[in-house]
Amino acid sequence: SAIMLSPEGIICPVLTADSDIDCIREILNGSTYAKKRYMTLMGLKKDLIPVAAFLKNRNIISVDYDLLTADSPNIKSVTNAYLSQKDKMFLLQLKIKKAYPDDIDALMPLRKAYELEEVLLNPEHFNEQACRVRFAKTIDDNKVYFAEYNNKPVATCCINAAGFAWSQVGGVYTKPEF
């Protein structure tokens, strides 16, 4: 089992059937996180329930993330089998591009919408300048891609981690109409 504690008070447990819940309780209660008024639990619901059980007196927001994977050597042909002709025509006009610093103005509305929808628990805490600085750094690190339709950005994503033969995609946002 494992547990990640962020400086912001986010707890991400990954538990196994034989995880030592008492040990996790000791870690949480013995840390500076025990003194925080607000905590966020993130992860699979089955991992969150035992951790939430001993944080009863806290305001807890749990987000149940499911693992989404595409594990097919021929994912394009598998996907195409489910697409309508209209969808296929749309995809022909869609361009996937790597983001560069000059793209930030065009991409910021998508990034702002992503943070407001997916990241911030309270939209009043959104700080446009801080968002722009973080996003510019991510772009500088060559970790942002976007989809363009009729020369306008309609979706963005970031590479959160990469191995030799894989990349983890996160920070995904698509305009609702797309």
Side-chain angles (χ1 to χ4, degrees):
S1 58
I3 190 163
M4 183 201 78
L5 304 173
S6 78
E8 295 82 19
I10 299 171
I11 302 172
C12 296
V14 179
L15 307 179
T16 64
D18 59 344
S19 291
D20 186 347
I21 300 302
D22 290 330
C23 179
I24 292 171
R25 180 184 293 122
E26 275 184 49
I27 291 168
L28 290 176
N29 289 336
S31 72
T32 57
Y33 302 97
K35 296 167 186 68
K36 287 189 179 281
R37 185 169 172 207
Y38 296 98
M39 292 183 155
T40 302
L41 292 176
M42 294 176 66
L44 296 174
K45 191 174 233 168
K46 69 176 186 59
D47 295 341
L48 301 179
I49 291 170
V51 175
F54 54 84
L55 296 172
K56 289 181 231 171
N57 299 327
R58 309 296 166 83
N59 293 318
I60 298 172
I61 299 166
S62 67
V63 180
D64 188 13
Y65 287 99
D66 290 320
L67 181 62
L68 302 176
T69 61
D71 188 17
S72 170
N74 197 0
I75 194 68
K76 195 169 190 171
S77 68
V78 171
T79 303
N80 279 337
Y82 294 99
L83 295 176
S84 68
Q85 192 60 36
K86 180 181 171 190
D87 291 333
K88 289 177 186 174
M89 293 305 295
F90 168 76
L91 286 177
L92 288 174
Q93 298 172 44
L94 195 66
K95 295 181 182 132
I96 306 299
K97 296 182 171 185
K98 184 176 180 181
Y100 292 97
D102 290 348
D103 298 315
I104 194 162
D105 290 332
L107 298 177
M108 270 305 293
L110 295 170
R111 188 59 181 193
K112 178 179 180 178
Y114 163 73
E115 287 202 10
L116 289 172
E117 179 180 293
E118 187 74 19
V119 177
L120 296 174
L121 301 175
N122 183 347
E124 292 175 13
H125 294 150
F126 180 75
N127 179 320
E128 183 118 17
Q129 178 145 358
C131 174
R132 186 179 184 90
V133 168
R134 287 189 308 271
F135 195 45
K137 170 83 172 101
T138 306
I139 291 171
D140 285 345
D141 290 343
N142 297 311
K143 294 182 178 177
V144 177
Y145 290 83
F146 65 100
E148 193 175 73
Y149 182 74
N150 286 340
N151 298 317
K152 292 186 178 139
V154 297
T156 61
C157 73
C158 300
I159 304 301
N160 294 343
F164 291 114
W166 58 269
S167 292
Q168 176 187 343
V169 176
V172 177
Y173 182 80
T174 303
K175 285 184 172 183
E177 61 269 27
F178 288 89

